Every structure is written in C-alpha cells, then in structure tokens.
Amino acid sequence: MTTIRGARERARIEVTAAIKDEARRQLAAEGAAKLSLRAVARELGMVSSALYRYFPSRDDLLTALIVDAYDAVGAAAETALAAARDPHDHPARWTAVCSAVRIWALAHPHEYALIYGSPVPGYTAPQDTVGPASRVGLALISISRAAHRSGGLALPPLAEELRPEAHRLTADIAPDLPPAVVVALVAAWSQLSGLISFELFGQFNRVVEDRDAFFGHAAARLAHEVGLRHR
C-alpha cells in the first residue's frame, strides 16, 4: 500500500511540474493575462477536467507560478548572501544580493515580469504569496541589521514630515532598526526593482551600454543611501 501511495505521489509531482512548465512557456509566448488552463491541458494532451484536479482555476495556477518565482529569486538572493566572503563587508554583501537578483531576472525575464511587472487583470494574490515575496527584502534587511549591530550603519537623513510614516513602516517591517534606515531600505528596494526593470524591458537600450558596470555602481550607491559603510 505504501508503494502504491508513493508511486501516486511521484506521478502527481511529475504532472504538476509538467503543468507548470507548460504554463511558463505560455507566459513567455502570450503573457500572464492570456494564460489558459484549457490551452495548457491541450498542449499536454490532457482533458481539462484532469488538469482541474491539480489546479482548480487559472488563479490557482498563477499563484503556484508566482510562489515558485518568488522562491527562486529569494533563494538566489539568500545564496549570494551566504556566499559573501567577508561577513563584515556590508556594502559588498548588499551588492552581491542585488547582483544575484539581477542575474536571476535576466535569466528568467518572463517570471520576473510575472512578479514585478504589470498586475494580471482579474487576479488578486492570496496571502500565501506574502512569505515568498518577502525573501529578497528580508535578505537586504538582514544586511542592515548586521551592520547596525556592529556599528557599521550610518543614519540616513529623514525629513520631518516623513517621520509618522517612517515609524509606521518600522513597526511593520523591522522594529529593531532606526526609522530612517527602514525608509531608506524601502526606497532602495523600489529603486533596485526599477533598475532591473529598465534593463529587462528595454528602457536602457541606446542609453546604457556597459550594463554590468552601471548596475554595480547603482547598487553600491543604494548601499550607501541605506547607511552601509565600509569598516
């Protein structure tokens, strides 16, 4: 009985992977808005009713693809952070994480567009996407936290009119960090996304030629703006 159950579980895992692989091909060809369970089933030689046993709706399939993408880019960021040679060189750790996110995005442009591009019409992400979506941000926050504990974090300026929002963000995101740093982190994360999106979606064409050097400089500037300093 255990052998039969194990075979069924393996078969389900294999079919689920095949469904998601085909869905990713459709994302690349048609975009997320045109993702269709019937089209996925047709390409896999399945009847639609069989596919619904794996993903009851298009939104369930989209959610699975979104979670996979967030987990993949999050894993890339965390791996880069763990591999950083000097745990006390916080600016270098920051740029390593930023570079890992960029490298992943360039290798997986359609998945990056799914999670950081235009919202999919009619789709609302459920709560279970929040954890995976937080992984890159948490990696960056952990760098600032380590720098703060070791005295390697300079306080960025904070406008007086922004203080109420800064305290709200800090309570939600990182209560152990100074509010000025949390505001700078949120701004840096949005700027990182903008840098990558500009490169990925063509806005740097005929503008920036040495993309690697440009990105490295920009990521280092973001590290400085959140208060990270070389010791």
Side-chain angles (χ1 to χ4, degrees), residues 88-109:
H88 303 294
D89 189 347
H90 305 300
R93 298 172 76 216
W94 174 280
T95 55
V97 170
C98 292
S99 294
V101 174
R102 172 180 177 251
I103 290 168
W104 183 88
L106 293 175
H108 306 87

Side-chain angles (χ1 to χ4, degrees), residues 148-218:
H148 184 50
R149 290 172 178 167
S150 65
L153 188 65
L155 286 183
L158 179 63
E160 188 63 34
E161 63 270 19
L162 193 54
R163 289 187 181 278
E165 178 65 9
H167 285 284
R168 186 196 66 79
L169 283 170
T170 301
D172 286 347
I173 297 173
D176 56 331
L177 289 177
V181 172
V182 174
V183 168
L185 280 166
V186 173
W189 174 225
S190 65
Q191 290 172 69
L192 173 62
S193 180
L195 278 167
I196 294 171
S197 295
F198 261 51
E199 180 175 3
L200 201 60
F201 304 137
Q203 281 87 352
F204 281 160
N205 291 348
R206 300 182 183 180
V207 179
V208 178
E209 293 185 358
D210 190 341
R211 308 278 174 83
D212 291 344
F214 183 86
F215 183 86
H217 172 77

Side-chain angles (χ1 to χ4, degrees), residues 63 67 123-133:
T63 296
V67 168
Y123 174 79
T124 300
Q127 187 67 23
D128 55 1
T129 62
V130 173

